[in-house]
Amino acid sequence: LAAPEVLTRCRRLVQPALQEAVGRLHPWVSEMAAYSFGWCEVGGAPAVASGGKGVRQALALLGAEAAGAPGRAGVPAAVAVELVHVFSLLHDDIMDGDPARRGRPTVWKAYGTGPAVLAGDALFALAVETLAGAGSDAVRLLSAALSDLVRGQADDLLFATRPWTGPERVRPEEYRAMAEHKTGALLGCAAALGALLGGAPPATVAALDRAGRHLGVAFQIVDDVLGIWGDPLVTGKPVHGDLRERKKTFPVLAALDSPTSAAARLARLLGSDGPLREMADLVEECGG
Ligand code: GRG
């Protein structure tokens, strides 16, 4: 199966359980949660067909299949990780003050900050509730990933206060650790939880967790690259938002860490307008 087909197949299995869970929330909170998944229209912001790529839910089902079980054995894991994912995006958008996600206003923009915090809390609680029936090992795996998410987010927020250059600068290996926690932990947890529910032995569960973490670091770097060079119609984010907000994304950090400042030289050679030029300007402005 090509990757998008895998994602579609997994979404079909998970979506009914996810909608059933969200439907059990307080009606107002449930509406905000449905909006955060892109399922409903609010204030003229259209429903989003896919409601996100669904990478984490797919990893959970594939983890179950890797354990020799049918994908449906991983559904509770898929629901839990997708709920945590959307919760973390929702709170991240509040922390960063980001106005748009998945091509529409963020939840705090559409409903206000207080209600959006509450909607995030509800998704978080629902995730824990969903996994509670799967046993203490499952809850332990999820809790470890949650702590890592907080660790990664804390480092990411602190990176903003660090200088671009000099001995206090953010080094690529620090970025790597941040990305493993912020993004890799949940991808690893998704695959590991799916395998656990599929009856895999502990060594397989641990191996899938590690593999998902590596995948997550690569995923975060691609996310950063798309934040600079991606098509805003596809990424759903404003044009060059990350550059304008001076975010310490991997391409800029890597360019600044290079003594020859390769990106700046390349952009000068190309003499181009657009994101490469903007990135070069940022690198030069930072003294790279
Ligand atoms: C877990 C208690 C607890 C707190 C969370 C807010 C926070 C702390 C962490 C934020 C983590 C974060 C926003 C990571 C970014 C991960 C990332 C690359 C998101 C984009 O994922 P996609 O591309 O998004 O899969 P779609 O829209 O396709 O679902």
Side-chain angles (χ1 to χ4, degrees), residues 53 56 85 87-88 92 102 146 153 182-183 219-220:
K53 292 180 286 297
R56 294 151 192 84
H85 169 56
F87 146 74
S88 74
D92 184 59
R102 294 174 170 175
L146 295 173
Q153 182 76 347
K182 187 176 92 160
T183 307
F219 194 88
Q220 185 58 57

Side-chain angles (χ1 to χ4, degrees), residues 29 31-38 42 86 89-91 93-94 98-101 104-120 123:
V29 177
E31 181 197 301
M32 289 189 278
Y35 177 84
S36 71
F37 276 97
V42 168
V86 174
L89 297 182
L90 201 162
H91 276 203
D93 289 335
I94 296 171
D98 283 335
R101 171 165 309 268
R104 63 206 313 234
T106 43
V107 182
W108 73 268
K109 265 281 172 188
Y111 290 91
T113 306
V117 169
L118 187 65
L123 295 175

Side-chain angles (χ1 to χ4, degrees), residues 50-56 82 84-93 95-96 101-102 124 145-154 156 181-184 187 216 219-221 223-224 235 237:
S50 77
K53 292 180 286 297
V55 170
R56 294 151 192 84
E82 210 57 29
V84 167
H85 169 56
V86 174
F87 146 74
S88 74
L89 297 182
L90 201 162
H91 276 203
D92 184 59
D93 289 335
M95 290 179 207
D96 290 353
R101 171 165 309 268
R102 294 174 170 175
F124 184 71
L146 295 173
S147 297
D148 276 353
L149 250 80
V150 172
R151 187 180 300 276
Q153 182 76 347
D156 200 19
H181 292 133
K182 187 176 92 160
T183 307
L187 267 65
F219 194 88
Q220 185 58 57
I221 291 173
D223 197 62
D224 284 3
T235 63
K237 293 181 188 172

